[in-house]
Amino acid sequence: FYLTGFAGFQLYDLLPFWVAFSLMTATTVLSILLSERQDSPILAMIGVAGGLATPFLLDTGSGDVNSLAIYASVVLLGGGAVQLHRGWMPLLGTLVVGGSSVLAVVAYGAGADMTVFPTLALLIFWLVGGFFPILGPMVSPDSYRTRNPSLDLWSTRTALGWTTLAVAVLFGVVFDLEQRGAAWTFFTFGALTGVSSYWLRRFRPSHWSAAEISAGCIALGWALAASDSAIFLLLLIQAAALFHLVTRGAPPGLGVIGHTLATIAAVGFISFAGTAELAGFLGLREGALVRLAMLPIFVLISSWVGAELGPRYRAAAYLGLLVWFLSEFASKSYGAQMVSIAWSLQGATALVVSTRSGSQSLQLVGLATLGLVAAKLLLFDLAQLDPGLRILMFFGFGVVLLGLAYLVNRPKKGEEA
């Protein structure tokens, strides 16, 4: 029927437009209705795909974007109603892929005076492709009772994620948004999906996908709204918030997103530490204080990620401080010696704290840092100092080590010598 309508109008000019369009539209409606009656997901897929393709198969060159948006919305709602009831994942894929393709044509063809119907069509697509799969298990539990929950969860995540990303991007095209406007679009979608997840919190794991996509949208918003190293600080703050929410019973997938954001922040910390230029404030590099503020957040996160991953975050904070001292002091006059002094103080502090807390791992870290300083003095600093300063440097470092030896080996209160 689809091929007959296409050939009769487009190839052989045997049918007027309204006859061909009526034939193909009737085929779409009947395919969707009969798919319910005959329990046939393939028939529903053919109906949705053929319905979305009809305006292009019967193209008259009018370029009527509003009519295309209205027509696509009707087809998406019809197919989405069947998917909501039946929960057919192949049909969901057809809705998502076909809907995003047609609405991309709508978005790029819309002008400044044609935004109402394209906007409405995008919102309907977001509802059908993103939220109908989430609402499906609650509306039609019988259709999902014998299904694979893990497969359904991943299908829902993919559909909601792709639909949200596509709609946000196409909104930017329709309204010609700049970077800040696109950031606010992602923030808006993040807030809406976050509220939906909170509303659906009693229906696990239905609300997991919404919570995870909400976190992803907010992260993309930060990436577009912030500048330079502030991006990584904001991403790390969001990661800390996600870990805290997981400890309060939030979906475990937020923890995976949190680890991803923390890793991105760590990579950004190192990259900016090596490339940022001197800004003049206290003689530090641009964004130095922002990067320094990231380190206590890593320590805070270590208390929320469990005993297995906590030491890794604390180690990242410790190594980050070593890198920070190196990046901020190395380029200054006597920078190598300033780095050695800073590392010595850091290692000494770790060693002293280890004696109070009884942490053997922290004691080893402190000793390793002091060993690193000693190697640096021998291999690099000697070549850059006058003989008098060399003597003072080694005397000073030796006195520090002797003092630390006394503190580390001093008996604790109440302990026999």
Side-chain angles (χ1 to χ4, degrees):
F1 287 137
Y2 284 121
L3 291 175
T4 299
F6 164 72
F9 171 76
Q10 201 77 316
L11 298 183
Y12 303 114
D13 199 21
L14 297 175
L15 300 176
F17 173 81
W18 68 271
V19 173
F21 182 77
S22 299
L23 171 64
M24 298 174 75
T25 302
T27 303
T28 298
V29 173
L30 289 173
S31 297
I32 293 176
L33 292 177
L34 289 174
S35 69
E36 272 280 346
R37 182 181 180 88
Q38 299 186 9
D39 192 18
S40 173
I42 295 180
L43 193 56
M45 293 168 61
I46 293 174
V48 170
L52 292 175
T54 294
F56 303 96
L57 295 175
L58 303 180
D59 184 24
T60 60
S62 64
D64 190 349
V65 172
N66 288 332
S67 298
L68 179 59
I70 296 172
Y71 175 82
S73 300
V74 174
V75 175
L76 290 172
L77 284 173
V82 175
Q83 202 283 328
L84 179 64
H85 180 229
R86 293 289 189 171
W88 292 327
M89 289 305 167
L91 175 58
L92 176 62
T94 305
L95 289 167
V96 170
V97 175
S100 57
S101 301
V102 174
L103 293 181
V105 176
V106 171
Y108 281 98
D113 56 341
M114 294 185 296
T115 59
V116 176
F117 290 109
T119 300
L120 181 62
L122 288 173
L123 293 176
I124 290 174
F125 173 59
W126 188 50
L127 176 68
V128 170
F131 282 93
F132 277 15
I134 295 176
L135 299 175
M138 292 175 284
V139 175
S140 303
D142 293 339
S143 300
Y144 290 82
R145 191 159 293 156
T146 59
R147 303 271 289 274
N148 185 340
S150 177
L151 180 61
D152 284 346
L153 178 59
W154 277 105
S155 299
T156 304
R157 283 171 174 162
T158 303
L160 180 57
W162 174 261
T163 304
T164 303
L165 180 62
V167 171
V169 171
L170 293 179
F171 263 128
V173 174
V174 171
F175 293 98
D176 195 20
L177 298 177
E178 296 182 354
Q179 186 169 326
R180 290 298 176 89
W184 280 110
T185 302
F186 279 109
F187 284 141
T188 301
F189 281 111
L192 291 174
T193 49
V195 170
S196 301
S197 174
Y198 181 78
W199 180 67
L200 296 169
R201 66 189 183 280
R202 293 176 295 171
F203 305 99
R204 299 187 178 190
S206 296
H207 76 120
W208 289 7
S209 301
E212 293 158 1
I213 299 305
S214 174
C217 287
I218 293 173
L220 287 174
W222 291 133
L224 292 172
S227 58
D228 299 334
S229 57
I231 296 175
F232 303 107
L233 176 62
L234 292 171
L235 292 179
L236 190 60
I237 292 174
Q238 182 182 346
L242 293 178
F243 288 127
H244 181 63
L245 289 174
V246 171
T247 62
R248 302 291 296 273
L254 296 182
V256 177
I257 297 175
H259 289 304
T260 303
L261 296 180
T263 302
I264 294 173
V267 173
F269 178 94
I270 295 174
S271 63
F272 270 87
T275 60
E277 299 295 333
L278 293 174
F281 179 71
L282 297 178
L284 301 176
R285 291 179 181 270
E286 182 181 0
L289 298 181
V290 174
R291 290 192 295 278
L292 185 62
M294 295 171 63
L295 302 180
I297 299 177
F298 277 108
V299 178
L300 179 64
I301 290 175
S302 68
S303 62
W304 290 330
V305 295
E308 182 178 354
L309 295 176
R312 300 182 185 181
Y313 278 89
R314 289 191 290 271
Y318 190 90
L319 293 174
L321 186 57
L322 292 176
V323 172
W324 190 87
F325 283 135
L326 179 64
S327 65
E328 301 309 319
F329 296 156
S331 59
K332 302 180 184 300
S333 300
Y334 298 104
Q337 292 72 44
M338 294 174 66
V339 171
S340 297
I341 293 172
W343 284 2
S344 299
L345 293 175
Q346 183 176 342
T349 302
L351 202 57
V352 172
V353 172
S354 70
T355 63
R356 300 291 182 264
S357 62
S359 173
Q360 185 177 6
S361 59
L362 185 60
Q363 186 180 45
L364 293 175
V365 167
L367 289 171
T369 304
L370 294 174
L372 177 64
V373 174
K376 182 175 179 299
L377 287 173
L378 290 172
L379 298 176
F380 298 101
D381 294 1
L382 282 179
Q384 302 178 12
L385 292 176
D386 296 330
L389 292 178
R390 295 179 195 173
I391 295 172
L392 291 177
M393 196 77 175
F394 274 92
F395 263 120
F397 190 61
V399 169
V400 169
L401 292 180
L402 287 174
L404 288 173
Y406 170 75
L407 291 175
V408 170
N409 293 281
R410 187 175 60 179
K412 298 179 181 179
K413 184 180 295 186
E415 184 182 36
E416 292 183 2

